[in-house]
Amino acid sequence: MATSSTPAGDAVARADRPRPKTRVRLWLALGALALLAGLAGAAVHSARQHRDLERSARIHAQVAALFESRLGVDAICHLERAPFASIAWLIDTEVQLRRLASSEQALTLACGLSVLARSHALIGRYAQAERLSGEANGLLDRHGLENLSVTATTVSLMNLQARYAPAEKIAKAELRRGHDGIDMATRLDQLRLQLELSRAQWGLADDDGAMSSLEDALAQARVLVPPNAGLIAELLSQRGEWRGRRFDFSGAEHDLTQAIAMSQGTTQADNARYQLVRMLSYSEQPERATAEAGQLVADRQAHLGAQHPDTGRAWIAQSDAQYNAGHISDSIGALQHGKAIVLASYGARHPEYAEVLRLESLHDYMHMRYDSSVGKAREAVKICEQAFGPTHEQTLRVRFNLATKLTFGLDSRWDSPDYREGLGMLEDLVQTGSETDIPMPYEKMTVGIALAMRAPEHELPRAERILREVQVDIHQYLPARAAARSYVDFTLASVMYRDGRQVQADEQFARFVQARDGEQSLPLPTRTLIHEALMYRALYAMSTCRREDALTALRKALKSDREHLSQARIYARQAQDYLGEIERHGVLSEHFGRKQVADKRLDGADAKLYFQASRLSLDCSRGLLAKR
């Protein structure tokens, strides 16, 4: 059948006929063009990506150069020790960082902000550090990125401010992620984050968990290839510090001396030596602590310069050791060096300045400047509580100092506000130790001494019970020549004296002095106790009509005070005054006692004992009592 020869028919016929090959070639051409366009687009996109990567790498290199030149940081996206810098320097570095890196370079900017956060924390600007750390974490979150150094900085800041629970949570979550196939730098960051985890656990009183995390990190660090001596030394230093806190002094010394040996000539060795000085002071080895502190000051000056804040901290540690060793004028000189550096570096609101105030409080107390002593002790507590919170170890340290100054201060009445506040603080510290399973023999001992010296007579049995309990701990933990052992032994004798067992007490005092005769390097507190024991013996001798024995005891006290307590003249002055009173009048007069009370050299239970001895010495002089 023929088709119609119309335009419409022609259209149908064209449609029915096979398409010519030219139509196929057209579609192929179009497809090829599309493919070429796609390839061209991909090439353009790839080129753009390449340019972006090049730009990011260039910006990262510029930021890295900025931090290396201004703060000495070699790798901004890996953990290094926080560099010290002034506030103005840090602010200017932040301005330059933001000019170089925008939020599009999220990782570079976050790493730079994290370094600045660590440096701000170092100088006590915790709010600024928190702001920068928070911004760094926000940048990473928004871009779906991760960085161990940024996370570790966050955890470290939390630990510094005693926010241990969230620090532990974040650290555990990050470490659970796992980082298989990571490079060595990231592996080191991971182990340092594990160190921060252990610090959080220690702060939460999970001592076993903290030690387990630390031991695991140390075991991993020991098998790294190549080995990283600096990290191992850092981990050993931390374990040494904690062993010392748990009164494992031999283990602590082993760790710290090993850390020093394996990182000799570096700031890490200096950090370990700083902990060694603290441990030797805490374990009452003041002469060794003083020698190590002198080496620490010299090393800090050589490695960091005379005005670096860590050099200032070394001077302060030396002052503390010298004070405990009885080198009072040297201690004051070292403290002035350290104070000037700390004030210039940190200002008067930094926790390092709180340690300066604690030491100044000790010196003021020794020289009977009680109001100044208590005022400085309170300010130190305020600084540490604001920086760290109430349960941080440094806060507990300065609280203990304040508690002792209040308890043994100017107003020694049992019902005085200062005494009650101080005793309450001491009892709280003992309770904290019980809750955290950390030995606190010093704090418990001081409660017993406070009760023995100031409490009413009906509290004496409680004081003796506490002292006999702590005597076991003291003898277990501390060396034979430790001042704490002397304090307990002396105070138990004084309790017996106050409780009417004066014959036994006098025998104890005699043994106390005899056991320490001839010792040339006793701690300062032990020297003061020898003075007090001889004063007790003189009082008892006058009470029992043994005037010559009293004079012998006082002369021995005066000789010892002049030889060993020349910087604390109040002791020699007291012995000289009592000696002169007996030589002139043959008795201890009430007039002399009232003058001692008025001059605030005699108070509380001591005043009562004096007037008791005064009455008995008068009876002796009248022949009413026979020599006993």
Side-chain angles (χ1 to χ4, degrees):
M1 172 176 164
T3 57
S4 173
S5 181
T6 62
D10 291 339
V12 172
R14 286 194 304 270
D16 288 341
R17 286 195 300 267
R19 292 182 176 82
K21 291 182 178 181
T22 54
R23 178 79 51 94
V24 174
R25 286 195 295 270
L26 175 63
W27 282 109
L28 288 173
L30 290 172
L33 288 173
L35 176 61
L36 290 172
L39 291 172
V44 169
H45 179 68
S46 177
R48 184 180 297 118
Q49 276 191 321
H50 182 69
R51 285 196 300 272
D52 288 346
L53 288 172
E54 280 189 337
R55 182 167 178 269
S56 295
R58 185 172 64 255
I59 290 172
H60 186 89
Q62 290 171 343
V63 169
L66 169 71
F67 277 80
E68 184 175 8
S69 65
R70 294 182 68 85
L71 299 175
V73 175
D74 293 329
I76 62 169
C77 284
H78 292 288
L79 278 174
E80 293 188 11
R81 190 168 183 271
F84 173 82
S86 68
I87 295 173
W89 197 252
L90 291 175
I91 290 173
D92 186 58
T93 304
E94 181 183 347
V95 169
Q96 294 194 46
L97 168 65
R98 294 184 187 280
R99 283 179 186 155
L100 289 171
S102 67
S103 59
E104 293 178 5
Q105 290 81 40
L107 181 60
T108 298
L109 181 56
C111 290
L113 293 173
S114 185
V115 173
L116 291 172
R118 296 200 297 274
S119 292
H120 278 285
L122 185 65
I123 59 175
R125 287 168 54 85
Y126 297 111
Q128 186 75 356
E130 288 273 12
R131 180 185 68 78
L132 293 169
S133 178
E135 183 180 351
N137 280 290
L139 279 167
L140 296 184
D141 288 343
R142 287 193 298 275
H143 290 80
L145 299 171
E146 297 175 6
N147 182 264
L148 273 170
S149 69
V150 174
T151 303
T153 296
T154 302
V155 174
S156 176
L157 288 173
M158 289 177 171
N159 280 337
L160 277 174
Q161 297 174 86
R163 294 166 54 198
Y164 301 118
E168 180 190 39
K169 182 178 179 181
I170 292 171
K172 281 185 172 180
E174 182 63 38
L175 290 169
R176 274 196 301 266
R177 294 177 188 272
H179 295 272
D180 296 331
I182 58 176
D183 58 23
M184 178 58 72
T186 305
R187 187 79 189 93
L188 295 176
D189 286 350
Q190 193 176 45
L191 291 176
R192 289 192 173 99
L193 178 59
Q194 189 161 333
L195 172 58
E196 291 297 338
L197 168 63
S198 72
R199 287 168 175 159
Q201 291 168 319
W202 181 269
L204 291 169
D206 180 11
D207 296 3
D208 293 338
M211 278 296 192
S212 176
S213 296
L214 185 60
E215 295 284 6
D216 180 61
L218 185 56
Q220 293 183 58
R222 288 187 190 279
V223 297
L224 289 177
V225 180
N228 188 293
L231 175 60
I232 295 173
E234 185 177 4
L235 294 166
L236 284 171
S237 296
Q238 184 62 79
R239 190 173 70 175
E241 179 186 350
W242 287 346
R243 280 179 163 176
R245 192 67 183 87
R246 298 170 89 172
F247 287 81
D248 176 11
F249 295 126
S250 61
E253 184 170 352
H254 177 269
D255 282 346
L256 293 169
T257 52
Q258 187 180 356
I260 292 168
M262 70 189 311
S263 56
Q264 196 69 44
T266 70
T267 56
Q268 182 55 56
D270 299 344
N271 297 340
R273 195 181 302 278
Y274 176 81
Q275 292 301 334
L276 179 62
V277 171
R278 296 285 294 271
M279 186 278 294
L280 291 171
S281 292
Y282 197 61
S283 62
E284 299 199 30
Q285 302 178 66
E287 295 297 344
R288 286 189 62 201
T290 299
E292 292 289 348
Q295 184 64 54
L296 176 64
V297 170
D299 290 346
R300 286 298 199 200
Q301 288 176 326
H303 297 151
L304 299 174
Q307 299 305 312
H308 193 279
D310 281 348
T311 305
R313 295 174 73 226
W315 279 112
I316 293 166
Q318 185 177 51
S319 174
D320 189 32
Q322 290 168 330
Y323 176 89
N324 292 328
H327 308 314
I328 304 303
S329 60
D330 291 340
S331 174
I332 292 172
L335 183 57
Q336 292 308 310
H337 276 294
K339 179 180 180 179
I341 296 170
V342 164
L343 281 174
S345 302
Y346 298 131
R349 304 307 308 166
H350 192 277
E352 289 299 336
Y353 188 65
E355 180 65 4
V356 172
L357 291 171
R358 186 188 72 83
L359 286 168
E360 288 187 337
S361 171
L362 291 174
H363 285 288
D364 284 346
Y365 182 83
M366 171 169 281
H367 291 91
M368 302 179 69
R369 298 188 290 267
Y370 295 123
D371 288 344
S372 177
S373 177
V374 170
K376 289 174 180 176
R378 282 196 189 281
E379 184 63 20
V381 171
K382 183 178 178 181
I383 290 170
C384 288
E385 285 185 340
Q386 287 177 345
F388 300 133
T391 60
H392 192 277
E393 287 189 27
Q394 191 165 343
T395 305
L396 298 178
R397 175 179 169 88
V398 294
R399 280 178 64 82
F400 177 58
N401 178 59
L402 173 60
T404 59
K405 300 305 170 287
L406 291 168
T407 307
F408 304 106
L410 199 57
D411 191 349
S412 61
R413 292 172 298 134
W414 165 253
D415 58 351
S416 75
D418 280 359
Y419 178 86
R420 302 304 299 173
E421 181 187 0
L423 183 62
M425 290 175 70
L426 289 170
E427 290 171 332
D428 287 345
L429 288 167
V430 172
Q431 181 63 30
T432 298
S434 176
E435 292 171 354
T436 57
D437 198 30
I438 294 177
M440 288 207 172
Y442 290 110
E443 291 78 1
K444 189 173 182 180
M445 174 191 73
T446 310
V447 170
I449 293 172
L451 291 171
M453 294 180 64
R454 300 290 188 246
E457 290 182 0
H458 71 268
E459 288 279 8
L460 289 178
R462 179 186 169 207
E464 186 169 356
R465 174 181 58 79
I466 291 172
L467 288 167
R468 294 204 181 279
E469 287 175 1
V470 82
Q471 191 175 44
V472 175
D473 294 338
I474 291 290
H475 282 251
Q476 175 185 348
Y477 294 129
L478 297 178
R481 293 172 60 257
R485 293 179 70 156
S486 299
Y487 266 119
V488 172
D489 295 345
F490 169 86
T491 308
L492 280 169
S494 71
V495 167
M496 286 190 281
Y497 196 99
R498 286 190 62 197
D499 199 36
R501 291 170 283 165
Q502 294 177 342
V503 174
Q504 300 97 308
D506 188 58
E507 292 172 353
Q508 289 272 42
F509 285 131
R511 284 195 291 271
F512 180 88
V513 174
Q514 185 177 10
R516 293 158 179 82
D517 268 350
E519 290 278 0
Q520 294 301 311
S521 57
L522 289 172
L524 173 65
T526 301
R527 292 290 180 196
T528 66
L529 293 177
I530 290 171
H531 165 91
E532 296 292 346
L534 289 167
M535 295 302 294
Y536 266 107
R537 296 212 72 203
L539 280 182
Y540 182 61
M542 291 301 292
S543 301
T544 53
C545 306
R546 294 180 293 116
R547 178 174 176 271
E548 287 305 317
D549 288 348
L551 290 172
T552 298
L554 289 169
R555 287 170 184 146
K556 184 168 186 171
L558 182 61
K559 181 176 183 293
S560 175
D561 296 343
R562 284 174 171 170
E563 288 179 2
H564 303 292
L565 293 172
S566 60
Q567 302 295 326
R569 297 186 179 89
I570 57 171
Y571 296 100
R573 188 185 309 133
Q574 184 186 42
Q576 182 70 67
D577 288 349
Y578 276 66
L579 191 61
E581 175 69 9
I582 296 172
E583 287 176 337
R584 284 191 299 272
H585 305 293
V587 297
L588 292 171
S589 69
E590 286 197 17
H591 172 74
F592 176 76
R594 286 193 295 272
K595 188 174 187 306
Q596 292 286 304
V597 171
D599 291 342
K600 302 189 184 305
R601 296 178 184 174
L602 197 61
D603 57 24
D606 290 339
K608 182 177 179 180
L609 292 175
Y610 173 86
F611 288 114
Q612 180 187 75
S614 172
R615 288 190 297 272
L616 290 171
S617 71
L618 187 59
D619 288 345
C620 287
S621 70
R622 293 170 178 170
L624 300 178
L625 290 176
K627 179 179 178 180
R628 288 183 277 167

PDB file of all heavy atoms in Angstrom, residues 156-170:
ATOM      1  N   SER A 156      44.079  18.756  80.215  1.00  0.00           N
ATOM      2  CA  SER A 156      45.084  19.338  81.106  1.00  0.00           C
ATOM      3  C   SER A 156      44.535  20.561  81.834  1.00  0.00           C
ATOM      4  O   SER A 156      44.771  20.736  83.037  1.00  0.00           O
ATOM      5  CB  SER A 156      46.322  19.716  80.286  1.00  0.00           C
ATOM      6  OG  SER A 156      47.274  20.372  81.092  1.00  0.00           O
ATOM      7  N   LEU A 157      43.809  21.416  81.123  1.00  0.00           N
ATOM      8  CA  LEU A 157      43.215  22.602  81.755  1.00  0.00           C
ATOM      9  C   LEU A 157      42.228  22.200  82.841  1.00  0.00           C
ATOM     10  O   LEU A 157      42.168  22.819  83.909  1.00  0.00           O
ATOM     11  CB  LEU A 157      42.521  23.471  80.708  1.00  0.00           C
ATOM     12  CG  LEU A 157      43.426  24.248  79.751  1.00  0.00           C
ATOM     13  CD1 LEU A 157      42.597  24.922  78.669  1.00  0.00           C
ATOM     14  CD2 LEU A 157      44.229  25.288  80.509  1.00  0.00           C
ATOM     15  N   MET A 158      41.452  21.176  82.567  1.00  0.00           N
ATOM     16  CA  MET A 158      40.495  20.701  83.574  1.00  0.00           C
ATOM     17  C   MET A 158      41.220  20.165  84.808  1.00  0.00           C
ATOM     18  O   MET A 158      40.826  20.438  85.943  1.00  0.00           O
ATOM     19  CB  MET A 158      39.597  19.625  82.968  1.00  0.00           C
ATOM     20  CG  MET A 158      38.603  20.152  81.962  1.00  0.00           C
ATOM     21  SD  MET A 158      37.616  18.842  81.211  1.00  0.00           S
ATOM     22  CE  MET A 158      36.403  19.828  80.312  1.00  0.00           C
ATOM     23  N   ASN A 159      42.296  19.427  84.581  1.00  0.00           N
ATOM     24  CA  ASN A 159      43.072  18.909  85.716  1.00  0.00           C
ATOM     25  C   ASN A 159      43.668  20.038  86.539  1.00  0.00           C
ATOM     26  O   ASN A 159      43.683  19.990  87.778  1.00  0.00           O
ATOM     27  CB  ASN A 159      44.188  17.993  85.219  1.00  0.00           C
ATOM     28  CG  ASN A 159      43.699  16.600  84.879  1.00  0.00           C
ATOM     29  OD1 ASN A 159      42.659  16.145  85.365  1.00  0.00           O
ATOM     30  ND2 ASN A 159      44.438  15.900  84.032  1.00  0.00           N
ATOM     31  N   LEU A 160      44.167  21.069  85.856  1.00  0.00           N
ATOM     32  CA  LEU A 160      44.770  22.197  86.563  1.00  0.00           C
ATOM     33  C   LEU A 160      43.769  22.870  87.496  1.00  0.00           C
ATOM     34  O   LEU A 160      44.136  23.384  88.550  1.00  0.00           O
ATOM     35  CB  LEU A 160      45.288  23.232  85.554  1.00  0.00           C
ATOM     36  CG  LEU A 160      46.667  22.975  84.944  1.00  0.00           C
ATOM     37  CD1 LEU A 160      46.955  23.997  83.871  1.00  0.00           C
ATOM     38  CD2 LEU A 160      47.740  23.010  86.028  1.00  0.00           C
ATOM     39  N   GLN A 161      42.505  22.860  87.099  1.00  0.00           N
ATOM     40  CA  GLN A 161      41.471  23.536  87.885  1.00  0.00           C
ATOM     41  C   GLN A 161      40.645  22.550  88.713  1.00  0.00           C
ATOM     42  O   GLN A 161      39.559  22.877  89.175  1.00  0.00           O
ATOM     43  CB  GLN A 161      40.574  24.339  86.954  1.00  0.00           C
ATOM     44  CG  GLN A 161      41.340  25.441  86.228  1.00  0.00           C
ATOM     45  CD  GLN A 161      40.493  26.144  85.184  1.00  0.00           C
ATOM     46  OE1 GLN A 161      39.773  27.090  85.488  1.00  0.00           O
ATOM     47  NE2 GLN A 161      40.563  25.667  83.952  1.00  0.00           N
ATOM     48  N   ALA A 162      41.200  21.342  88.896  1.00  0.00           N
ATOM     49  CA  ALA A 162      40.579  20.308  89.740  1.00  0.00           C
ATOM     50  C   ALA A 162      39.202  19.879  89.236  1.00  0.00           C
ATOM     51  O   ALA A 162      38.363  19.452  90.010  1.00  0.00           O
ATOM     52  CB  ALA A 162      40.492  20.791  91.190  1.00  0.00           C
ATOM     53  N   ARG A 163      38.979  19.982  87.921  1.00  0.00           N
ATOM     54  CA  ARG A 163      37.721  19.489  87.329  1.00  0.00           C
ATOM     55  C   ARG A 163      37.997  18.081  86.793  1.00  0.00           C
ATOM     56  O   ARG A 163      38.026  17.830  85.585  1.00  0.00           O
ATOM     57  CB  ARG A 163      37.259  20.452  86.237  1.00  0.00           C
ATOM     58  CG  ARG A 163      36.870  21.825  86.785  1.00  0.00           C
ATOM     59  CD  ARG A 163      36.753  22.860  85.686  1.00  0.00           C
ATOM     60  NE  ARG A 163      35.852  22.452  84.635  1.00  0.00           N
ATOM     61  CZ  ARG A 163      35.822  22.986  83.418  1.00  0.00           C
ATOM     62  NH1 ARG A 163      36.696  23.925  83.116  1.00  0.00           N
ATOM     63  NH2 ARG A 163      34.973  22.577  82.523  1.00  0.00           N
ATOM     64  N   TYR A 164      38.222  17.184  87.737  1.00  0.00           N
ATOM     65  CA  TYR A 164      38.762  15.874  87.385  1.00  0.00           C
ATOM     66  C   TYR A 164      37.742  14.959  86.707  1.00  0.00           C
ATOM     67  O   TYR A 164      38.121  14.173  85.832  1.00  0.00           O
ATOM     68  CB  TYR A 164      39.306  15.199  88.645  1.00  0.00           C
ATOM     69  CG  TYR A 164      40.393  15.987  89.327  1.00  0.00           C
ATOM     70  CD1 TYR A 164      40.235  16.459  90.630  1.00  0.00           C
ATOM     71  CD2 TYR A 164      41.584  16.283  88.672  1.00  0.00           C
ATOM     72  CE1 TYR A 164      41.231  17.186  91.259  1.00  0.00           C
ATOM     73  CE2 TYR A 164      42.583  17.022  89.292  1.00  0.00           C
ATOM     74  CZ  TYR A 164      42.393  17.466  90.588  1.00  0.00           C
ATOM     75  OH  TYR A 164      43.377  18.194  91.201  1.00  0.00           O
ATOM     76  N   ALA A 165      36.481  15.035  87.109  1.00  0.00           N
ATOM     77  CA  ALA A 165      35.485  14.118  86.535  1.00  0.00           C
ATOM     78  C   ALA A 165      35.322  14.318  85.024  1.00  0.00           C
ATOM     79  O   ALA A 165      35.419  13.352  84.251  1.00  0.00           O
ATOM     80  CB  ALA A 165      34.156  14.265  87.261  1.00  0.00           C
ATOM     81  N   PRO A 166      35.071  15.566  84.540  1.00  0.00           N
ATOM     82  CA  PRO A 166      34.979  15.728  83.079  1.00  0.00           C
ATOM     83  C   PRO A 166      36.303  15.461  82.380  1.00  0.00           C
ATOM     84  O   PRO A 166      36.318  14.979  81.241  1.00  0.00           O
ATOM     85  CB  PRO A 166      34.539  17.187  82.905  1.00  0.00           C
ATOM     86  CG  PRO A 166      34.873  17.876  84.181  1.00  0.00           C
ATOM     87  CD  PRO A 166      34.751  16.830  85.237  1.00  0.00           C
ATOM     88  N   ALA A 167      37.412  15.754  83.033  1.00  0.00           N
ATOM     89  CA  ALA A 167      38.721  15.469  82.428  1.00  0.00           C
ATOM     90  C   ALA A 167      38.878  13.975  82.189  1.00  0.00           C
ATOM     91  O   ALA A 167      39.324  13.544  81.112  1.00  0.00           O
ATOM     92  CB  ALA A 167      39.838  15.985  83.333  1.00  0.00           C
ATOM     93  N   GLU A 168      38.515  13.184  83.181  1.00  0.00           N
ATOM     94  CA  GLU A 168      38.612  11.730  83.038  1.00  0.00           C
ATOM     95  C   GLU A 168      37.699  11.235  81.913  1.00  0.00           C
ATOM     96  O   GLU A 168      38.095  10.401  81.084  1.00  0.00           O
ATOM     97  CB  GLU A 168      38.224  11.044  84.343  1.00  0.00           C
ATOM     98  CG  GLU A 168      38.306   9.524  84.276  1.00  0.00           C
ATOM     99  CD  GLU A 168      37.687   8.848  85.480  1.00  0.00           C
ATOM    100  OE1 GLU A 168      36.639   9.333  85.960  1.00  0.00           O
ATOM    101  OE2 GLU A 168      38.226   7.832  85.933  1.00  0.00           O
ATOM    102  N   LYS A 169      36.489  11.754  81.852  1.00  0.00           N
ATOM    103  CA  LYS A 169      35.523  11.320  80.844  1.00  0.00           C
ATOM    104  C   LYS A 169      36.026  11.601  79.426  1.00  0.00           C
ATOM    105  O   LYS A 169      35.973  10.734  78.541  1.00  0.00           O
ATOM    106  CB  LYS A 169      34.179  12.022  81.073  1.00  0.00           C
ATOM    107  CG  LYS A 169      33.080  11.609  80.111  1.00  0.00           C
ATOM    108  CD  LYS A 169      31.772  12.325  80.441  1.00  0.00           C
ATOM    109  CE  LYS A 169      30.666  11.924  79.460  1.00  0.00           C
ATOM    110  NZ  LYS A 169      29.398  12.632  79.769  1.00  0.00           N
ATOM    111  N   ILE A 170      36.519  12.803  79.190  1.00  0.00           N
ATOM    112  CA  ILE A 170      36.998  13.182  77.857  1.00  0.00           C
ATOM    113  C   ILE A 170      38.224  12.351  77.478  1.00  0.00           C
ATOM    114  O   ILE A 170      38.330  11.855  76.349  1.00  0.00           O
ATOM    115  CB  ILE A 170      37.321  14.687  77.812  1.00  0.00           C
ATOM    116  CG1 ILE A 170      36.031  15.508  77.945  1.00  0.00           C
ATOM    117  CG2 ILE A 170      38.039  15.047  76.516  1.00  0.00           C
ATOM    118  CD1 ILE A 170      36.276  16.995  78.132  1.00  0.00           C
TER     119      ILE A 170
END
